[in-house]
C-alpha cells in the first residue's frame, strides 16, 4: 500500500443518497455544502492543532487563515461541488513555505554565482570585515518543511467522512420534516 493512500469507509451511503434524492436540488446542494464544510472543518481543526503542537503559533494569523471555500461558479456550471480547505492569506503569506520548506538562498546583490555566496565588491562603510576580508553576503540555509495540511488530511480523512455522514444523517430527516410542514 502507498504511504499517502487514504482509506475511507462509509456505511449507509446508499440510504443517505436515496433520502437526498427526495429533496429539491437547491436544498440538496445547500445540505451537501454544509455537510462537506463540517467534514473539511474537522481536517482544518487537526491542522490548527498540529501548528500549535509544533510551536508554529506566534500571532495566530496562520491558524486563522485556515478556511473552507467553495467554487459556486463550478457548481452551477457543472452540477458538482468541490470544497477546498485552504491555508494562508495576505497576513499569513508564508503558509506554503512552512508546509513545503524552501531551498537555501543567499542575500546580496548582483553575482553570476548560482548556489554559491555572492561575490561583491566591498563597500568600506557598510561591509563587515572578518579576518581582513569584507563580507557582503548572507548565506541562508532555507526553511525545513514542517507540513501541517497534508498530515491533517492523512490522519483526519475518516473523521471528516464521519462528520459528513453524521451531518447528513441528522440534516436530511430534519429538512424533509420542515419541507412537509411547509406543504412540499
Amino acid at each position: 500500500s502507498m504511504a499517502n493512500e487514504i482509506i475511507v469507509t462509509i456505511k449507509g451511503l446508499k440510504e443517505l443518497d436515496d433520502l437526498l434524492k427526495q429533496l429539491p436540488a437547491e436544498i440538496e446542494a445547500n445540505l451537501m455544502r454544509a455537510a462537506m464544510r463540517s467534514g473539511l472543518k474537522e481536517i482544518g481543526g487537526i491542522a490548527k492543532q498540529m501548528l500549535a503542537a509544533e510551536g508554529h503559533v506566534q500571532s495566530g494569523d496562520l491558524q486563522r487563515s485556515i478556511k473552507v471555500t467553495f467554487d459556486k461558479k463550478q457548481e452551477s456550471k457543472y452540477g458538482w461541488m468541490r470544497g477546498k480547505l485552504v491555508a494562508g492569506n495576505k497576513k499569513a503569506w508564508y503558509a506554503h513555505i512552512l508546509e513545503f520548506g524552501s531551498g537555501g538562498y543567499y542575500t546580496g546583490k548582483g553575482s553570476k554565482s548560482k548556489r554559491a555566496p555572492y561575490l561583491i565588491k566591498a563597500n568600506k562603510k557598510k561591509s563587515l570585515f572578518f579576518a581582513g576580508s569584507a563580507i557582503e553576503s548572507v548565506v541562508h540555509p532555507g526553511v525545513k518543511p514542517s507540513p501541517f495540511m497534508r498530515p491533517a488530511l492523512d490522519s483526519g480523512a475518516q473523521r471528516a467522512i464521519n462528520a459528513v455522514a453524521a451531518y447528513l444523517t441528522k440534516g436530511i430527516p430534519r429538512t424533509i420534516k420542515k419541507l412537509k410542514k411547509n406543504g412540499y
Side-chain angles (χ1 to χ4, degrees), residues 20-21 27 31 35 49-50 65 79 90 93-95 100 109 117 124 144 157:
L20 271 173
K21 284 188 178 111
I27 290 170
L31 204 56
Q49 286 168 357
M50 285 181 161
S65 80
K90 274 185 184 157
W93 54 266
Y94 46 85
F100 301 109
K109 288 183 200 78
K124 294 276 187 269
K144 221 172 64 195

Side-chain angles (χ1 to χ4, degrees), residues 97 100-107 115-117 137-145:
I97 298 172
F100 301 109
S102 76
Y105 59 90
Y106 301 94
T107 64
R115 299 196 193 332
S137 64
V138 178
V139 179
H140 191 287
V143 177
K144 221 172 64 195

Side-chain angles (χ1 to χ4, degrees), residues 75-91:
E75 221 171 280
S76 55
K77 192 174 174 184
Y78 303 113
W80 50 266
M81 193 177 288
R82 177 186 286 158
K84 284 190 282 191
L85 183 70
V86 293
N89 55 21
K90 274 185 184 157
K91 268 188 174 176

